[in-house]
Amino acid sequence: GAGVSQSPSNKVTEKGKDVELRCDPISGHTALYWYRQRLGQGLEFLIYFQGNSAPDKSGLPSDRFSAERTGESVSTLTIQRTQQEDSAVYLCASSLGRGGYYGYTFGSGTRLTVV
Amino acid sequence: AQTVTQSQPEMSVQEAETVTLSCTYDTSESDYYLFWYKQPPSRQMILVIRQEAYKQQNATENRFSVNFQKAAKSFSLKISDSQLGDAAMYFCAYLLTSGSRLTFGEGTQLTVNP
């Protein structure tokens, strides 16, 4: 597609439930990133995928968070047993290479609210 | 670890005037990129301008320009002839050339007054 697509746009869930967030990157972009943005704050790195290499998971805050990506296509971020502190906007970005030279293209994010 | 600091949580400017947003960063590396991103209420992060650290010349994109002071680790954004559409949250970000993750500052909320 023309841009990075994320779904759902908004998600309200009950504490303790699992949620799955989806990111559809720009076709041909080998790199894909997930970031978390808490209200009024900057973006926190969560995870990075580059082609078929092992992902960089060093930003995942706990083992309740996991992400998958098949090849260079769609990625899903899963949060198990959601907590209120998980409430945030989750942003996905993709880039042609590692990002510095080519730049990142971001999606519009998923706003997750845990009640 | 690299850190990025934006000391102005909020700024305001009159339409058609000029405003400068501040950013400082901390790194021991010499090869990196710096970015300014704009985030309107739509939430989508939009790249405004990029600077490679090895370039001494300040980057410029139309009404947007930067003042890059490598020794001082400072990277400010100047917006000239401000327009109502410039109102947004602005984030400064750092990326190590050999790295893979952007490190963001806390953001500056810019208001443009008509």
Side-chain angles (χ1 to χ4, degrees):
Chain A
V4 177
S5 178
Q6 291 189 246
S7 61
S9 179
N10 293 282
K11 175 73 176 178
V12 179
T13 190
E14 293 181 351
K15 179 181 172 181
K17 299 277 190 184
D18 297 352
V19 295
E20 194 172 275
L21 312 180
R22 176 187 170 105
C23 173
D24 200 343
I26 291 174
S27 178
H29 279 196
T30 58
L32 186 146
Y33 312 80
W34 284 97
Y35 283 82
R36 178 172 70 179
Q37 184 179 23
R38 290 194 164 119
L39 185 64
Q41 297 186 18
L43 279 69
E44 303 170 68
F45 168 80
L46 295 177
I47 190 168
Y48 158 64
F49 296 90
Q50 173 63 54
N52 293 316
S53 302
D56 176 358
K57 303 180 181 181
S58 59
L60 295 178
S62 77
D63 59 8
R64 295 186 297 104
F65 287 73
S66 63
E68 292 183 351
R69 187 186 187 196
T70 305
E72 296 179 359
S73 63
V74 171
S75 175
T76 54
L77 176 68
T78 301
I79 308 173
Q80 296 178 311
R81 305 181 303 281
T82 51
Q83 305 292 313
Q84 288 185 329
E85 71 241 30
D86 299 334
S87 295
V89 173
Y90 290 83
L91 288 161
C92 176
S94 69
S95 67
L96 194 56
R98 212 159 37 182
Y101 182 80
Y102 300 103
Y104 290 43
T105 301
F106 281 85
S108 296
T110 294
R111 181 181 299 281
L112 176 66
T113 304
V114 182
V115 298
Chain B
Q2 292 79 25
T3 58
V4 178
T5 302
Q6 293 179 247
S7 59
Q8 307 152 315
E10 298 176 351
M11 290 284 283
S12 63
V13 62
Q14 291 297 125
E15 195 175 5
E17 297 289 305
T18 296
V19 64
T20 299
L21 308 184
S22 300
C23 172
T24 58
Y25 57 95
D26 185 22
T27 183
S28 57
E29 305 290 338
S30 61
D31 206 7
Y32 50 87
Y33 295 92
L34 295 165
F35 304 84
W36 279 98
Y37 279 88
K38 167 184 175 181
Q39 187 180 41
S42 66
R43 298 197 305 242
Q44 186 172 17
M45 301 283 282
I46 300 165
L47 178 63
V48 174
I49 199 164
R50 179 185 71 194
Q51 174 82 41
E52 289 104 324
Y54 69 87
K55 290 188 177 178
Q56 293 186 339
Q57 186 173 6
N58 289 322
T60 300
E61 288 287 342
N62 301 312
R63 297 183 294 107
F64 299 87
S65 61
V66 297
N67 183 4
F68 173 47
Q69 301 289 328
K70 191 171 184 179
K73 297 179 184 175
S74 170
F75 183 62
S76 61
L77 175 70
K78 186 171 82 170
I79 306 174
S80 304
D81 185 26
S82 297
Q83 300 176 0
L84 295 178
D86 295 333
M89 182 74 86
Y90 285 80
F91 291 96
C92 179
Y94 165 100
L95 174 68
L96 195 59
T97 300
S98 61
S100 57
R101 65 173 76 175
L102 281 169
T103 300
F104 288 86
E106 296 291 303
T108 297
Q109 181 68 52
L110 178 66
T111 301
V112 181
N113 300 309

